[in-house]
Amino acid sequence: APDGATFTYSKAFTWDEFGQEACGAHQFDNTATIVETGQSAEASLLVNVQCLIFKGDTAWAANGDTPGELRYTKRGNWATYVAYNGPKTVSIFAGQKNYAGTATFSEVVDGMITITIHLEGDWEFAASGETLKVEGYTQAPSGNPAPGLFSFKSSVTGTAASSMVPASNMEGEPFKFFGVHLDVGRWVPDPDFGP
């Protein structure tokens, strides 16, 4: 172009161009050519697409809407359990005090209780492993619980799940308390993201 004139153009880049899984750095090379003279210039554009990572957490069903109401231990471990004497809906807390959803306990039907989980907000079950663990107790439990040893385990994903558990132990004594442990998490911006 004569006399040092310039030409400016713009191009919009959208998330869909990279695909929903393509977070990270993407380089776009561009060459501008003057057709009449064959002269050209090159430039590159680096586009950084924010990456998200799954930040896992432990969650427990509380006895009501207050975290820590019924705890296995008074100090240290914050694990909680639920007193059961009929149908009820209680809150689930992740990381001790973060509301994550609800657990609904059904009435006893054919010797079984259905526990229905609904995670809310941006909480969801972890993608792998036994993510929902339930233990029934005939008496109030104490000591540090070991969720990996709970009697009723299932691998669920997403934001909702149901688990059917016996309403009584092998001797026919009714369960009056339940421990409900969940492996959950949220997708958060990668703290190491960026050029």
Side-chain angles (χ1 to χ4, degrees):
D3 303 322
T6 60
F7 173 76
T8 303
Y9 73 97
S10 63
K11 176 171 174 55
F13 293 89
T14 64
W15 175 260
D16 292 339
E17 270 184 69
F18 310 122
Q20 293 189 3
E21 301 300 323
C23 68
H26 302 272
Q27 181 172 319
F28 293 89
D29 298 320
N30 184 50
T31 302
T33 303
I34 301 174
V35 176
E36 292 82 3
T37 66
Q39 294 172 297
S40 64
E42 295 180 352
S44 293
L45 173 67
L46 185 64
V47 176
N48 291 305
V49 179
Q50 174 67 63
C51 297
L52 299 176
I53 60 171
F54 189 78
K55 184 176 181 189
D57 215 332
T58 295
W60 290 88
N63 189 51
D65 295 326
T66 305
E69 183 182 330
L70 292 179
R71 290 176 54 171
Y72 282 81
T73 62
K74 297 288 183 199
R75 305 181 84 130
N77 192 319
W78 64 271
T80 56
Y81 59 91
V82 178
Y84 177 82
N85 59 2
K88 69 190 295 186
T89 298
V90 300
S91 294
I92 296 169
F93 292 96
Q96 191 167 359
K97 296 183 180 180
N98 300 308
Y99 176 79
T102 61
T104 299
F105 293 75
S106 75
E107 62 185 318
V108 177
V109 177
D110 295 329
M112 303 294 282
I113 296 170
T114 300
I115 302 171
T116 305
I117 306 294
H118 288 287
L119 298 177
E120 298 178 21
D122 50 1
W123 291 100
E124 61 185 71
F125 282 101
S128 62
E130 295 169 327
T131 53
L132 176 59
K133 304 167 192 79
V134 179
E135 185 63 60
Y137 306 99
T138 58
Q139 297 179 13
S142 63
N144 284 332
L149 300 177
F150 279 12
S151 301
F152 314 105
K153 298 179 247 187
S154 54
S155 299
V156 294
T157 58
T159 60
S162 288
S163 181
M164 289 183 67
V165 298
S168 59
N169 66 14
M170 299 294 282
E171 290 76 36
E173 296 176 85
F175 289 135
K176 298 178 183 176
F177 304 92
F178 286 94
V180 180
H181 175 276
L182 306 89
D183 294 321
V184 298
R186 296 185 279 195
W187 290 95
V188 298
D190 184 349
D192 298 324
F193 172 78

